[in-house]
Amino acid sequence: MNRRGITVRAGVLAVVALLAAACGSPGKPVDPAPVGEAAWPQPAHVGGPDASAGGGSDTSCNPLASLAPDKGISIPDGSTMAKIKERGKLIAGVDQTTYLFGFRNPTSGNLEGFDIDLVNEIARQIFGAPEGHVQFRAITSGQRADVLKKQQVDIVVRTYSITCARKKDVQFSSVYYVAGQRLLVTKESKATKLADLSGKKVCAAKMSTSAAKIATDPAKLVAITVDNWSDCLVMLQQGQVDAISTDDTILAGMAAQDPTLQVVGDRFTQENYGIGVPKDNVDMVKFVNAVLENIRNSGAWQNSYRRWVEPSLGPASPPQPQYQ
Amino acid sequence: MTSTATAPGPTAPAPGPPPSPPDGRDRAGGRSGLLGLLDLPGQGVRAIVRSAATTPGRLTVIAVGLVLLSLVAGLAATLSVQDRDDTISGVIDHREPLAAAAQQVYRSLSDADATAASAFLSIGTEPPELRQRYERDVAEAGAALAKAASDASDVADAAAPVDVLNQSLPVYTGLVETARTNNRLGYPVGASYLREASELMRAKILPAAQDLYRVDTERLIDEQDSATGFPWLATILMLALLAALVVAQVYLTRRTNRLLNVGLVVATAAVVVSLLWGAVALIVQGSLVGGGQDDGSHRVDVLVRARIAALQARADETLTLVARGDGAAYEKDFGDNAAQLVGPDGQGGLLGEARGLIKDGDGVAKVADAAKAANDWLKAHKEVRAQDDAGQYQEAVDFAVLEDKTDGSAPAFRRLDDSLQAAIDVGRQEFLDDTHGGDRALTLLAPGLAVLAIVAAAGVTMGIRERLREYR
């Protein structure tokens, strides 16, 4: 009986083994809907390192020396300003995405900010009042030189740093604001300088001096470049980059839109903002410099600064102009 | 002799063991089952050949052959008609609704993109009607996508775009909501979220939706073609059966000197009726389904492509304004899409093609409405560009997005979209009417052919048995 039981069991085992060999193993349950990595969507035209703007370290010229204004603000016949007046519109290349300096206020639909105030002051000196006499043209950082070279705009007021490389193509007014490059990171981040971000992704706008600094810094950063500064903010909020590095003015505007971010570290560059003018319009440069003199002395600069920048960056006074 | 005649086929060799050599039989018996089985067909053929040497045997072979042929031909014809019936039902119940769902996915998503951009352009709180429109677009896209996805599993070409759409749509809506929240807070980063959402839509989602529409439309055309193809096998078998019946009757007449054999005549009549009925039904069905393709789904396809071009152009128009001076690429894109829609002269393009195709029915008026609305819109667009280029940005925005500017862009585009939708609905109705008619032409044909085949088989059996009886 017992022996027979063993035989039967052996037989059953043999049959099972045979069936298993015939059918193969049952395998593993199939993943019904495999998903590769869920990639983040990206802003349009995201690129890599871009050093085309050149650095602020270029000392082949004195970038700050502009053309001295004539006495008083005047519009001679046949001048560039007279043509603008006849046209009825001052065409200004500005930013509509940089909070505090040039941005579209969604509740009013208007462009506002420190740079926009300057444009309005220049229009006021040409037309008597800025309302209805300014045509704003939103441009990216990368388009600033291009629209000036093609004479598509009369002025560019868009956190435009004066450098020797740029002065070859366009004219700059005297310095109206001095900023410096710093870092914007999340409050959890321990980074306080570029060296802390070695191998990490750092974002800047294309063809900006900040992008050039990131691309050439010895810290070996992974440079990410985008069209507009607020595209950098989107990517930082989505965790696609680890930091944004550019002028403290722009970073302050970003930090004001997101309480979980903070501006850290010291200024490691000096950025001198000037108003860009087409290369040949010498009279326009002198005119703009005269308007800037007026803005510095009349208190208009302080008013605008107090409204937009002071809450984030503390008190400051206008930089002194230098002329050739 | 008589006994062998009534027992034809493989049983025939049973009474005749002597002819087979004893050793051969021994060998066969000696072989174990499997090889013996292999020998069976050979034995059968030999037996048939032997019995066919006699008249009753020959008659039996003829009877069996004719019965088999009528059953096989009847089965082939029935299956072929049933298959065609199923194909047409599939076209009506699955393929066409799927192609429509795919175009709905595209339309809703593209409209959502343009609407989100319009809402962004409006000042302050976004207009509730734009918000509602966006919500409805997203809901429609989701519902249409679920429908399109339900049938994508058996087509790899459709599964890939459905996968992309299903994965990207929630991400898109998330980005739009983030943009909206920032916008409400007065933060310009909202505009960047909107641009990122729009980029996702235009670079990834809409191309996938277009792929899906293309795949579903190609499948619709394939199945329409297969529902109008010629049923070669069934036709050849039926004609062969008819010829065999005629030959058999001629043979019987010669052998028996009787002019008619009622059974065989009935069988022949059944086959002739099958052929005529089948031919008429298939011709009617083929022309109706073909009509559904030409008057219905082909026109719909042209109209859908016109609508896709219009939707893209509308999104380009709003995004040019969102870019505020930085929208040259969008404006160029608008030009390309407008040229696709109405042609370089404003008379051709996809709308011109639709006008050429639709010469009758309610569709004519709808397409004419669409063409007029398209021209109004392009005129309004020129005005928008002129204002924006002259620096009157706010006026340009109002003219482009406000629904109450009667000669503005928004109402003209709305009229264009509604007219195209109406024309598409007309085309779908015509498709449905025609194809349904084609389906009706096949009513009862499949069971009818089966019954007629059985009648033919029965006629053959009766007719030949009558003759065989005379040999008893």
Side-chain angles (χ1 to χ4, degrees), chain A residues 128-139:
Chain A
E131 287 79 23
H133 291 295
V134 184
Q135 177 178 350
F136 289 108
R137 193 168 155 193
I139 54 175

Side-chain angles (χ1 to χ4, degrees), chain A residues 23-320:
Chain A
C23 306
S25 79
K28 288 187 176 134
V30 181
D31 182 356
V35 171
E37 207 180 339
W40 273 104
Q42 286 195 332
H45 315 131
V46 171
D50 180 5
S52 57
S57 54
D58 184 355
T59 50
S60 61
C61 69
N62 175 9
L64 306 189
S66 185
L67 301 169
D70 302 326
K71 289 271 179 292
I73 299 169
S74 63
I75 302 179
D77 288 344
S79 65
T80 312
M81 295 74 77
K83 282 180 206 149
I84 293 169
K85 193 168 184 177
E86 200 177 326
R87 189 206 291 147
K89 298 266 176 203
L90 172 71
I91 305 175
V94 296
D95 196 350
Q96 65 166 344
T97 66
T98 300
Y99 199 38
L100 307 182
F101 267 72
F103 69 99
R104 180 186 185 271
N105 182 341
T107 40
S108 68
N110 295 329
L111 291 175
E112 295 176 3
F114 189 83
D115 280 346
I116 308 295
D117 283 351
L118 285 184
V119 175
N120 286 333
E121 273 316 304
I122 294 168
R124 187 192 310 280
Q125 297 302 339
I126 299 176
F127 300 103
E131 287 79 23
H133 291 295
V134 184
Q135 177 178 350
F136 289 108
R137 193 168 155 193
I139 54 175
T140 64
S141 299
Q143 290 172 320
R144 290 178 296 201
D146 209 38
V147 292
L148 285 172
K149 275 194 268 186
K150 290 182 182 157
Q151 304 248 8
Q152 291 170 341
V153 297
D154 301 315
I155 50 174
V156 165
V157 191
R158 195 192 184 285
T159 56
Y160 203 3
S161 301
I162 308 170
T163 67
C164 292
R166 286 173 175 166
K167 275 189 115 171
K168 287 177 188 130
D169 295 321
V170 302
Q171 295 268 7
F172 280 101
S173 71
S174 59
V175 180
Y176 70 86
Y177 191 91
V178 177
Q181 192 169 352
R182 291 175 74 191
L183 273 181
L184 181 74
V185 292
T186 59
K187 283 189 172 157
E188 292 78 42
S189 172
K190 298 202 164 47
T192 55
K193 53 188 185 297
L194 284 184
D196 298 336
L197 289 162
S198 176
K200 298 278 177 59
K201 291 178 178 165
V202 182
C203 186
K206 278 177 190 163
M207 295 179 80
S208 63
T209 50
S210 311
K213 174 71 181 158
I214 292 168
T216 54
D217 193 84
K220 289 206 168 56
L221 310 164
V222 180
I224 305 286
T225 53
V226 293
D227 281 347
N228 287 300
W229 284 113
S230 54
D231 293 338
C232 275
L233 179 54
V234 167
M235 292 184 84
L236 183 61
Q237 288 184 337
Q238 292 176 338
Q240 299 196 68
V241 297
D242 301 290
I244 304 170
S245 178
T246 182
D247 309 344
D248 47 4
T249 45
I250 299 170
L251 296 182
M254 294 187 191
Q257 297 178 66
D258 185 343
T260 68
L261 304 176
Q262 61 181 351
V263 183
V264 295
D266 301 321
R267 284 184 175 182
F268 49 85
T269 64
Q270 182 179 332
E271 307 292 336
N272 306 291
Y273 292 168
I275 295 172
V277 176
K279 184 97 178 158
D280 300 332
N281 297 354
V282 176
D283 52 353
M284 186 70 185
V285 181
K286 290 179 177 173
F287 178 81
V288 168
N289 280 341
V291 175
L292 284 177
E293 287 282 348
N294 187 39
I295 290 171
R296 283 188 198 98
N297 301 330
S298 69
W301 192 97
Q302 277 296 349
N303 287 341
S304 182
Y305 184 85
R306 245 179 244 129
R307 179 170 177 205
W308 299 113
V309 192
E310 198 172 87
S312 309
L313 295 178
S317 49
Q320 284 312 303

Side-chain angles (χ1 to χ4, degrees), chain B residues 5-367:
Chain B
T6 48
T11 49
S20 58
D23 62 326
R25 196 179 150 71
D26 272 334
R27 230 176 31 197
R31 273 189 243 159
S32 54
L34 206 60
L35 289 173
L37 272 180
L38 285 177
D39 205 29
L40 269 181
Q43 287 179 13
V45 169
R46 280 197 292 278
I48 291 169
V49 169
R50 222 178 304 125
S51 69
T54 65
T55 305
R58 204 173 290 164
L59 283 179
T60 311
V61 169
I62 289 172
V64 170
L66 284 177
V67 167
L68 279 180
L69 188 56
S70 38
L71 290 180
V72 167
L75 187 67
T78 307
L79 286 182
S80 143
V81 169
Q82 190 58 51
D83 183 46
R84 183 174 288 243
D85 215 6
D86 291 347
T87 306
I88 297 177
S89 304
V91 164
I92 294 175
D93 297 340
H94 297 290
R95 294 278 76 82
E96 198 275 340
L98 268 190
Q103 82 101 356
Q104 180 68 39
V105 170
Y106 190 98
R107 192 211 77 83
S108 301
L109 289 177
S110 192
D111 196 56
D113 194 34
T115 308
S118 299
F120 170 81
L121 281 172
S122 49
I123 297 162
T125 323
E126 61 186 328
E129 62 272 13
L130 283 183
R131 171 87 206 190
Q132 267 167 19
R133 191 175 168 86
Y134 170 84
E135 296 295 343
R136 202 183 53 239
D137 282 338
V138 171
E140 278 175 357
L145 186 54
K147 169 75 186 154
S150 68
D151 204 64
S153 50
D154 54 331
V155 201
D157 288 353
V162 164
D163 204 31
V164 170
L165 288 166
N166 266 328
Q167 288 188 35
S168 308
L169 186 55
V171 179
Y172 172 80
T173 53
L175 288 174
V176 170
E177 294 312 316
T178 313
R180 186 169 275 149
T181 309
N182 277 293
N183 226 18
R184 289 216 152 198
L185 292 168
Y187 295 153
V189 74
S192 284
Y193 273 99
L194 188 78
R195 268 201 303 278
E196 191 181 56
S198 194
E199 172 74 9
L200 175 69
M201 178 61 81
R202 294 164 74 87
K204 203 167 165 191
I205 298 182
L206 287 183
Q210 207 161 2
D211 274 358
L212 181 64
Y213 173 70
R214 186 182 48 75
V215 168
D216 280 338
T217 307
E218 278 169 8
R219 284 186 68 197
L220 170 63
I221 294 170
D222 279 356
E223 299 221 353
Q224 281 173 325
D225 288 348
S226 81
T228 50
F230 190 79
W232 287 106
L233 179 68
T235 312
I236 288 170
L237 282 173
M238 285 307 251
L239 287 175
L241 174 61
L242 185 62
L245 279 171
V246 170
V247 168
Q249 282 171 93
V250 169
Y251 170 79
L252 277 184
T253 312
R254 283 201 192 133
R255 276 282 144 149
T256 60
N257 288 328
R258 289 199 201 148
L259 205 56
L260 284 178
N261 176 306
V262 178
L264 287 182
V265 168
V266 167
T268 313
V271 172
V272 169
V273 168
S274 294
L275 274 169
L276 288 179
W277 183 5
V280 169
L282 289 187
I283 288 169
V284 170
Q285 173 260 343
S287 81
L288 280 173
V289 171
Q293 188 169 22
D294 295 339
D295 300 346
S297 47
H298 180 54
R299 291 178 183 181
V300 168
D301 181 46
V302 172
L303 291 166
V304 165
R305 280 187 288 136
R307 196 178 196 196
I308 285 176
L311 285 162
Q312 276 177 344
R314 174 64 181 163
D316 287 329
E317 182 173 51
T318 35
L319 288 170
T320 310
L321 290 169
V322 171
R324 193 167 192 165
D326 182 23
Y330 292 127
E331 177 55 21
K332 190 183 163 296
D333 219 31
F334 178 94
D336 294 347
N337 283 314
Q340 230 188 329
L341 181 64
V342 295
D345 55 349
Q347 298 300 317
L350 287 163
L351 279 181
E353 195 180 332
R355 243 195 327 264
L357 279 173
I358 304 174
K359 296 272 185 212
D360 51 72
D362 303 338
V364 180
K366 310 283 184 216
V367 173

Side-chain angles (χ1 to χ4, degrees), chain B residues 368-378 412-413 415-417 419:
Chain B
D369 287 351
K372 189 180 170 305
N375 280 328
D376 290 350
W377 177 35
L378 293 185
F413 171 75
R415 278 208 311 281
L416 170 63
D417 193 47
S419 309

